[in-house]
Amino acid sequence: MTTIRNHDADEPARLRTAMVDELRGDPITSEAVADAMTAVPRHLFAPEVSLQEAYESNTAVPVKRDGDGLTLSSLSAPHLQATMLEQAAIRSGMNVLEIGSMGYNAALLQELVGPAGHVTSVDIDPDIVERARTGLTQAGYERVDVILADAEHGVPASAPYDRIIVTFDSPDIPPAWLKQLTGDGRLVVPLRMKGITRSIAFDRDGAGLISRSYRLCRFVPVQGQGAHDRRRLTLDTGVYLTVEDSDEAGFDVTALRQALHEPTSNAWPGAVFDMPDELELFLLTNSPRMALLHASQERIDGGLLTAATRLGVPALIAHDGSFAYRIKRASQDSDTGFECGVIAHGPSAADVAEQYGQLLLRWAENFRRRDAASIRYLPAQADTPPEPELGGVVRKRHGSIAVSWPPNSGTAGGTPA
Ligand SMILES: C[S@@+](CC[C@H](N)C(=O)[O-])C[C@H]1O[C@@H](n2cnc3c(N)ncnc32)[C@H](O)[C@@H]1O
């Protein structure tokens, strides 16, 4: 009997150690984050799932959904939490604001800042605030302040913060977050650009922010004042473009709809296929005429568009509605075994395919590196950022994002930034 009880009592600690071991190296790179994740009993914040599920390193626990089944609140997956904690580089004694609560991540933050530091966590949903408070009390982290508020305005009462960590999908950076960050503070935010969200660690840079790292991620949507519907331009049943608000006026939807059904042009410019996420960032932020093109499986099976569009692919859109997008195929001439190609539709398909091909070559030859992009955010009240020589600007409601790419210094491919 005693043996069984001891076994059960040890189970959470064993699962925690196994979870941390799995995450070591990538994304956990510091002992501080490993220690915090080894210490905090995650299962106390996920009472609705089994012990094993609570400690699965890549699994989020959905907690609340809206009427359409869209998840509004979840306990984020340990892999993602560790990624953002490493990006935040939290030190003992810091004052930290977590935006979006559930309790567990706030407890990790409390472990990282230690007794001399302070953690405030804010959520817009009273049920989540209650739940976070209960979990934190049960796990022994009563010092965390959990606040009920719309984080669009930050939490001025405990500002300024050395670190602000946002844990929902954010279409923009509200001015309050910048205002409430210390002079050498860091903001880690899942920022959506052109339909794709990356967790970006930003440090201050003059009136704005400059990125230190970026990682692809997925989060629940922001609610409240900053809520923002993803803009979709439907081209046909099961075919649409995801666009920024500022793009919308520039696209001739009638011409795009016609171009979709016109004969295609195909090109293979000889560009290597590698690091699709980095290539996607380069393509999407390179021109205001780029948008993410999606097609349903049915339309792909029907032959209207290729499988490259199933999860969304950057498309270059010409003024006459012609558009081009990236495809790939196996190639013995490429060091990755694959090369990029282009398919284009519309009256000037050959021209737009040629332009797209040039972009693919430019990236492959000059910028093919991981983490090479530099992402600058400038609030709207500051001067508009100049278009970077290599890169582009994405306009948001509260400011602008300029993504630039320092060229490779050596040969193409593989060189770390
Ligand atoms: C992914 S969950 C938070 C996960 C949490 N950080 C953890 O420990 O895993 C995102 C939360 O953001 C909250 N949220 C969404 N919009 C908000 C807003 N404008 N202000 C504050 N909280 C918001 C949601 O209610 C939801 O609980």
Side-chain angles (χ1 to χ4, degrees), residues 45 48-49 60-76 101-102 123-131 148 219-221 223:
F45 299 90
E48 54 276 90
V49 299
V61 180
V63 169
K64 202 164 188 178
R65 297 183 200 271
D66 70 6
D68 298 325
L70 176 75
T71 306
L72 294 178
S73 281
S74 60
L75 171 60
S76 303
S101 310
M102 195 58 70
D123 203 287
I124 199 167
D125 184 329
D127 297 338
I128 300 300
V129 167
E130 190 54 40
R131 178 186 163 111
L148 175 64
F219 264 103
V220 300
Q223 302 170 52

Side-chain angles (χ1 to χ4, degrees), residues 232-262:
R232 284 182 176 190
L233 298 184
T234 301
L235 306 188
D236 200 340
T237 310
V239 181
Y240 65 91
L241 290 170
T242 305
V243 296
E244 291 283 333
D245 295 352
S246 54
D247 294 336
E248 224 168 324
F251 296 143
D252 182 339
V253 184
T254 311
L256 269 160
R257 286 177 180 154
Q258 278 171 7
L260 178 63
H261 295 281
E262 288 187 11

Side-chain angles (χ1 to χ4, degrees), residues 88-91 94-97 161-164 184-186:
I90 292 157
R91 293 190 302 274
M94 282 186 164
N95 186 29
V96 179
L97 174 64
Y161 301 100
D162 301 299
R163 299 288 185 263
I164 297 178
D184 57 354
R186 178 170 289 188

Side-chain angles (χ1 to χ4, degrees), residues 42 72-77 81 98-106 121-125 128 149-152 166-168 177 219-227:
R42 180 173 163 94
L72 294 178
S73 281
S74 60
L75 171 60
S76 303
Q81 290 169 320
E98 180 198 35
I99 295 184
S101 310
M102 195 58 70
Y104 174 63
N105 196 46
S121 183
V122 59
D123 203 287
I124 199 167
D125 184 329
I128 300 300
D150 185 338
E152 178 79 5
V166 184
T167 63
F168 51 65
W177 300 354
F219 264 103
V220 300
V222 58
Q223 302 170 52
Q225 210 176 311

